[in-house]
Amino acid sequence: MSPLALVTGATSGIGRAFAERLAADGYDLIVVGRDTARLDTFAAGHPGHDVETVTADLSTDAGIDRVAGLAAERPLDLLVNNAGVAHYMPLADLPAARARELLGVKVIAPTMISRAAVGPMVARGGGAVVNVAGMIAFSGPAPAAAGPPRAVYGGSLAHLVAFSQLLATEVADAGVRVQVLCPGVVATEFHTRQGLDLSAVPRMSPEDVVAAGLRGLELGEVVCAPGVEDAGLLRSAAEAGLAAFAGQSTELATRYRRVPAG
């Protein structure tokens, strides 16, 4: 019996590359996206595989519930939460509808779909979840000049990092693997849809991102950064966060205490 994978955002970019690679590796697939025509084209292009197409908008409760239901019902070996939208702009300028869409797709959807999939995976004693985020998740301390304003987008990716790290510890003993995949700039339609021309910017291919993610699962990496050569940087970032967490006290830190006048 072939392994089964569910991939969201499977109609282009990293999601499409995941679907192509997994099909080549012998997986049956549930491919999820908003564009029915593209999903049907993918299925038609893989006649020797069991490909189920699901048209769903993961910015909506109905779309999330539909895909979460499939994740709970089907014996998934791999879940890839890849769907995404960008909406780069300052928070003060970000329309409320776009903020809700972004949070729905990058925070609520992967959380609820993972929740639906993980219980059955734990019961079966195996499976894997890959949450696609990005290196922008680590850019919070960067100065304004480092990139376009994107507080909500960056914050949503940072959520995926912490969520994946904590979930990995919850399910490790049950044989379930969790990874957050954090590429840098990738050659996809993602930036084009924002009206950004990055054709002159060096970019990683979606296929290389997928290769890194799957190899990272084999290596047991929870945080997979395809473009970071020195893995020690990721370990140092994790250790610094844990050191701050461990350094807390119930006593007010000295720097916050007012010095009496006189």
Side-chain angles (χ1 to χ4, degrees):
M1 196 170 176
S2 299
L4 177 63
L6 187 157
V7 182
T8 70
T11 57
S12 64
I14 296 171
R16 175 65 183 254
F18 258 113
E20 293 282 4
R21 170 63 184 271
L22 294 171
D25 287 350
Y27 278 76
D28 291 335
L29 293 169
I30 303 171
V31 289
V32 180
R34 301 190 200 196
D35 190 323
T36 302
R38 285 191 176 190
L39 291 171
D40 290 344
T41 297
F42 178 86
H46 297 79
H49 296 80
D50 186 353
V51 179
E52 179 178 352
T53 63
V54 179
T55 303
D57 182 349
L58 295 182
S59 70
T60 68
D61 288 344
I64 292 170
D65 289 347
R66 183 181 182 193
V67 178
L70 290 171
E73 295 164 5
R74 305 295 176 82
L76 298 183
D77 296 283
L78 176 63
L79 166 64
V80 180
N81 286 308
N82 166 76
V85 292
H87 303 330
Y88 282 18
M89 62 184 68
L91 177 60
D93 299 333
L94 182 63
R98 289 191 177 188
R100 290 191 181 96
E101 179 185 23
L102 176 53
L103 293 173
V105 172
K106 293 306 292 182
V107 176
I108 300 173
T111 301
M112 299 308 293
I113 297 170
S114 295
R115 174 189 173 277
V118 161
M121 285 181 179
V122 168
R124 292 191 299 270
V129 176
V130 174
N131 294 313
V132 179
M135 291 305 293
I136 290 172
F138 301 96
S139 69
R150 51 199 174 189
V152 179
Y153 181 74
S156 70
L157 300 191
H159 161 80
L160 285 174
V161 172
F163 169 69
S164 299
Q165 290 173 315
L166 291 164
L167 179 58
T169 66
E170 292 181 10
V171 299
D173 291 343
V176 178
R177 296 169 293 165
V178 180
Q179 178 192 93
V180 59
L181 179 56
C182 298
V185 183
V186 185
T188 69
E189 300 173 5
F190 188 74
H191 295 95
T192 305
R193 290 175 179 173
Q194 303 168 60
L196 300 175
D197 181 6
L198 298 186
S199 57
V201 177
R203 294 175 290 171
M204 185 174 286
S205 73
E207 291 75 17
D208 279 351
V209 173
V210 171
L214 295 177
R215 177 59 178 152
L217 278 177
E218 294 175 354
L219 295 172
E221 292 184 350
V222 176
V223 179
C224 175
V228 176
E229 181 65 30
D230 183 359
L233 294 172
L234 299 172
R235 289 192 293 271
S236 295
E239 289 166 1
L242 287 174
F245 180 73
Q248 63 183 315
S249 167
T250 56
E251 297 295 325
L252 185 65
T254 304
R255 66 185 177 281
Y256 300 126
R257 299 174 188 170
R258 292 189 179 276
V259 178

